[in-house]
Amino acid sequence: MSFLHDLKIAARSLSRVRALWFTVALTLALGIGANAAIFSVVRAVLLRPLANRDEDRLLYVRQSAPGIGETNATFSVPEIRDIGSNLKTIQELGTFSEIDFTVVGLGTPREIPAGVVDGHYFEVMGLRPILGRLLGPSDDGPNAPGAIVLTYHFWRTSLKSDPSVLGKQVRLESATGARSATVIGVLEPSVPYPVATEIIANVVTSPHHLSATMVTGREHRMTEVFARLAPGATVDAAKAELHTVYGAMMAAHPEVYKPEDHYQIDVTRMHDQINSRANTILWVLFAASGLLFVIASSNVANLVLARTVRRESELAVRMALGASTQTIRRSLLAEGLVLCGSGAVAAILLAIPMVNVLGRYASRFSVRANDLTLDFSLVWFGIALALIAAVFLAYIPRLPSPNGTQGGLSARSVRAVGGSSSRRLRIFAVTQITASFLLLAGACVLMKTLFVLEQTRPPFDSANVLAVNLPVMSYGKTPEQVTEFYRDVERRVAALPGVEHVSSSFVAPWRDDRGLNIAFTFAAQGARRNDGQDFRAKFRSVSPGFFGTFGVPIVNGRDFNDGDKEGSERVVIISQSLANLLYPGQNPLNRKLWWTDGVMKFIGISTEPRRIIAVVPDFDDENIIPAPAMTVYQPIQQEGWNGRLFVRAHQDAYSLVPAISRTIHEMSADQPVEKASTLGDVRAEVLTPDKLNAIVFGGFAAVALLISVVGVAGVLAFSVSSRTREFGIRMALGAQRRNILANVLVEGLVMAVVGVGVGVVLGFGLAEVASKYVAEIRQPGALAFIASAFTILAAAVIAAAVPAARAANVNAVEALRAE
């Protein structure tokens, strides 16, 4: 008889137990599909080589100053000049400065993320053009013509891959001025780092980069540094050399690199730096999918082995009728192949949509996750594992002895085999419960974090306040005209029906990362720190009415007004926490403070004393969970930058967007009006990664729990089948049905308790080991373990309910007659 015939018989046999077939196939599909999808993401994001030439020689250089909270600081031009001279292990340095340009000449004017680079950048990065050419040394210098390179993504999506874009003249607007430039090339597809840039320009396109403050300001840091290892050099050798050079630079400028700031330099491979944000979350997710695969495999083994044990009598009859051991094994192998093969096919169907979902999830942490497809190499590996499982399920179960046919036909043979098999099934079930508990505990930690974030209310109104990006357009305007433009915008928008308050600043809460973390050192009249150092505070420039727009009251003093402008007395407003720090138990009004940070002279902020005119409640616009806000506010008409408009509406803020856009475009047709959204929606967008974490891990945990419930129910169902005679005798001797019911329920609870106990020990142990290598890993709290344990125990009771009810309904007479 051919094996194909065995497969047909196997399919016919399994069709009579469709529930088993469906459960096994779905369980395998979830286990294999999830692993294939996760590995596709891990391989594409963490393991796939970069497009950059000789990426193993490409380095990212960074400095930090833990003493002032700078974990990854950029470099200044003098610093780059000092560390880049006469290096032996570094072949070349390339520099990149993040900047936002408003581009006029490539469709509708809009603000886009961009980069300003030197002529060595593309050579260091090892990138090539797919159209035109890239920037080179000839594009350096103040007399070079403006030139830009388009990134492949921007060229393909925004310009529809138009080859005629080469040679186009565009105008680039930035906060420091406007410059013209020519499109000279399109970059090959590559990972945009450190930001998702859309165009890359030469230095001459940014007036600020040509200024003396940029060229000579040692503390004016806004440039990333990349390096290429010299042939034969190692990363360790490059680190050692840079440490030596950096140490000499710090010694030469002790007024800048203060010992208490702990300035230091480090070097890492570019590949590792790009993956730094995604590294932890994806490997944890990969471990979660591995646990799910263990649960799925254990459950399949449980279900199939339990069915094989229940078929002892059938197999004994077949052997008594002349079937050989080889024939029986072959039929079991055929059934295993049908079960596992159908699960593998279903896994492919599940993995394709799963990789799309997980790709969108991972794109929150790495741009390398965009446009992912299923990696079939792991699918084939999963199919191979399924085939191995089929062989395992066919050849591991013990068959009835051909010399003991009578025993095999008796119910005692079922019980004899049932003892060892039952132990194996219980081990599999406990394994499932342990793995499920670990996943549930992890999901509970994430859900608790999300719940805290969601329930925390911001210290200002976020529901009806609309934040609108209005990037500075300075072409043909003086600085005074730019300031007047924004004041005019505020006046005209404030006159629109439905508008309650209007104000402006240079950053939007939660959204503008670069601006929100700006902090400078300052000194204050009559205030001293114990260590003798200057104070440090966040800097904000705001227009009059800013606090009224956000519903923040003035605690003491007055708000800014139109009289607080250039040429008048310099004034500031400070936050309550800062007032308490500077003047505990005293009135801070009319005291003077002045900026002492060396960077101030490079960014156009005066170090003259300024009078404190008011105190406002802490306005933490950076963190979702508000922290004490050490903030100094200056009137934007005196100093600072603009670019963000805030509109408080009486009712629906979004209904005002068309009127606001129309009003502003009537004033300036080229002025972009972008990213209009309520601060409530901005906050929700910031919370998206936390929501995705909770949903993804919660999904894994839910699937694992469901599989475990099926596994526990299967083990108990097998136990009830093998103990039918025992239950019959006990009931014949007077046992109550509730006692039988309780006995089976306790059996399920014992497995759950053992699984939870093992899970608790493993959970603490794994978290402790992982925390030594990954800083982001924290010990789960007691609440996570308690909630997970309760869920597992409740699920075990539910899983045991049906088999327990079946045991309690055993008819004693029929059970004994069957023997």
Side-chain angles (χ1 to χ4, degrees), residues 84-250:
S85 58
N86 301 318
L87 292 175
K88 302 294 188 296
T89 58
I90 301 293
Q91 179 176 321
E92 202 169 21
L93 296 180
T95 65
F96 176 102
S97 298
E98 180 182 354
I99 189 171
D100 290 332
F101 279 132
T102 301
V103 181
V104 181
L106 291 178
T108 303
R110 66 184 182 92
E111 188 178 43
I112 63 175
V116 170
V117 303
D118 68 0
H120 302 286
Y121 172 79
F122 285 112
E123 181 61 30
V124 169
M125 296 296 284
L127 295 172
R128 307 170 183 83
I130 61 167
L131 200 66
R133 69 175 181 88
L134 302 181
L135 297 168
S138 62
D139 297 298
D140 279 343
N143 298 319
I148 62 172
V149 173
L150 309 179
T151 60
Y152 178 79
H153 182 264
F154 177 69
W155 178 64
R156 181 173 61 86
T157 57
S158 298
L159 302 178
K160 311 302 180 187
S161 302
D162 180 11
S164 67
V165 72
L166 285 185
K168 267 195 174 180
Q169 293 287 319
V170 299
R171 189 172 85 238
L172 303 179
E173 294 266 8
S174 66
T176 57
R179 289 288 189 274
S180 62
T182 304
V183 178
I184 64 169
V186 177
L187 185 64
E188 66 177 322
S190 59
V191 178
Y193 193 85
V195 292
T197 51
E198 298 192 351
I199 66 171
I200 300 174
N202 59 346
V203 171
V204 75
T205 57
S206 172
H208 183 67
H209 282 71
L210 298 178
S211 65
T213 58
M214 181 76 177
V215 175
T216 62
R218 179 167 295 275
E219 296 172 89
H220 186 27
R221 302 181 177 98
M222 59 179 297
T223 303
E224 304 273 3
V225 176
F226 302 89
R228 183 162 285 275
L229 274 176
T234 64
V235 176
D236 289 338
K239 284 183 180 181
E241 184 179 22
L242 281 171
H243 286 162
T244 301
V245 172
Y246 194 74
M249 181 187 72
M250 289 194 297

Side-chain angles (χ1 to χ4, degrees), residues 420-480:
S420 60
S421 298
S422 181
R423 281 192 297 274
R424 287 199 300 271
L425 296 178
R426 279 171 170 75
I427 291 172
F428 282 134
V430 168
T431 301
Q432 294 174 48
I433 291 169
T434 299
S436 296
F437 174 81
L438 292 174
L439 285 175
L440 272 174
C444 283
V445 171
L446 294 171
M447 289 178 182
K448 178 187 174 183
T449 301
L450 179 61
F451 177 78
V452 171
L453 291 172
E454 290 280 14
Q455 294 302 309
T456 303
R457 296 296 94 194
F460 51 85
D461 183 16
S462 61
N464 293 319
V465 177
L466 196 71
V468 184
N469 281 20
L470 293 182
V472 173
M473 302 284 282
S474 58
Y475 181 70
K477 298 177 184 176
T478 64
E480 293 74 20

Side-chain angles (χ1 to χ4, degrees), residues 360 462 598 615 794:
R360 287 195 294 273
S462 61
V615 176

Side-chain angles (χ1 to χ4, degrees), residues 474-785:
S474 58
Y475 181 70
K477 298 177 184 176
T478 64
E480 293 74 20
Q481 288 173 323
V482 171
T483 301
E484 184 58 33
F485 171 78
Y486 281 96
R487 293 179 66 186
D488 200 20
V489 166
E490 289 185 38
R491 284 192 293 266
R492 295 185 60 174
V493 171
L496 294 174
V499 173
E500 185 176 347
H501 281 284
V502 180
S503 60
S504 60
S505 178
F506 69 95
V507 287
W510 303 309
R511 189 161 67 186
D512 293 316
D513 294 338
R514 277 192 297 159
L516 290 171
N517 60 14
I518 293 178
F520 302 115
T521 57
F522 71 96
Q525 179 186 3
R528 296 285 185 274
R529 277 178 51 171
N530 294 333
D531 57 9
Q533 299 299 312
D534 286 342
F535 297 97
R536 177 173 289 269
K538 295 293 176 67
F539 171 87
R540 299 288 186 268
S541 58
V542 302
S543 70
F546 175 84
F547 300 106
T549 301
F550 288 88
V552 176
I554 302 292
V555 174
N556 194 8
R558 69 168 178 86
D559 196 357
F560 296 132
N561 57 45
D562 290 338
D564 299 318
K565 58 186 178 181
E566 187 63 36
S568 63
E569 179 192 18
R570 297 189 183 278
V571 293
V572 294
I573 295 174
I574 62 175
S575 61
Q576 184 70 67
S577 289
L578 188 57
N580 294 340
L581 175 67
L582 297 175
Y583 307 108
Q586 303 175 48
N587 184 2
L589 296 190
N590 299 317
R591 305 287 186 106
K592 298 291 182 72
L593 64 78
W594 55 96
W595 298 111
T596 59
D597 205 302
V599 78
M600 286 304 191
K601 58 180 175 288
F602 303 117
I603 60 175
I605 302 297
S606 171
T607 56
E608 295 177 22
R610 49 200 76 216
R611 183 168 59 92
I612 300 173
I613 63 169
V615 176
V616 294
D618 283 2
F619 185 103
D620 186 357
D621 53 5
E622 186 176 5
N623 303 296
I624 294 297
I625 297 181
M630 304 296 180
T631 313
V632 174
Y633 301 92
Q634 294 186 181
I636 209 167
Q637 283 81 6
Q638 285 187 344
E639 287 175 313
W641 310 280
N642 230 310
R644 303 293 181 261
L645 184 72
F646 303 106
V647 181
R648 181 185 179 95
H650 286 292
Q651 292 181 345
D652 181 16
Y654 284 110
S655 65
L656 298 173
V657 173
I660 293 172
S661 299
R662 185 169 58 251
T663 299
I664 295 172
H665 284 148
E666 287 172 357
M667 300 169 60
S668 174
D670 287 344
Q671 175 66 55
V673 182
E674 302 177 313
K675 297 183 179 179
S677 57
T678 63
L679 292 178
D681 287 344
V682 172
R683 183 177 184 275
E685 178 67 18
V686 173
L687 285 176
T688 297
D690 295 284
K691 292 179 181 177
L692 288 172
N693 284 343
I695 290 171
V696 170
F697 281 95
F700 272 100
V703 171
L705 183 62
L706 178 62
I707 295 174
S708 296
V709 167
V710 173
V712 171
V715 170
L716 293 178
F718 168 75
S719 176
V720 168
S721 296
S722 63
R723 296 171 65 189
T724 300
R725 182 172 182 271
E726 173 199 333
F727 291 146
I729 292 174
R730 289 174 61 183
M731 295 183 72
L733 294 176
Q736 299 295 314
R737 293 184 184 275
R738 64 175 177 272
N739 296 332
I740 302 295
L741 182 69
N743 183 273
V744 178
L745 288 175
V746 168
E747 191 176 348
L749 276 175
V750 167
M751 286 190 291
V753 169
V754 172
V756 167
V758 175
V760 169
V761 174
L762 282 178
F764 276 116
L766 290 173
E768 185 67 29
V769 171
S771 63
K772 295 179 180 178
Y773 301 96
V774 183
E776 292 88 345
I777 297 295
R778 294 175 297 174
Q779 284 282 7
L783 181 62
F785 278 149

Side-chain angles (χ1 to χ4, degrees), residues 319-370:
M319 296 187 75
L321 294 176
S324 65
T325 300
Q326 182 181 3
T327 302
I328 298 296
R329 293 290 187 194
R330 196 171 68 177
S331 66
L332 291 177
L333 176 61
E335 288 191 7
L337 287 174
V338 171
L339 282 172
C340 298
S342 56
V345 171
I348 298 176
L349 300 177
L350 273 178
I352 293 174
M354 284 178 72
V355 80
N356 292 330
V357 172
L358 290 171
R360 287 195 294 273
Y361 166 69
S363 65
R364 292 277 172 179
F365 307 98
S366 173
V367 293
R368 303 194 77 193
N370 293 328

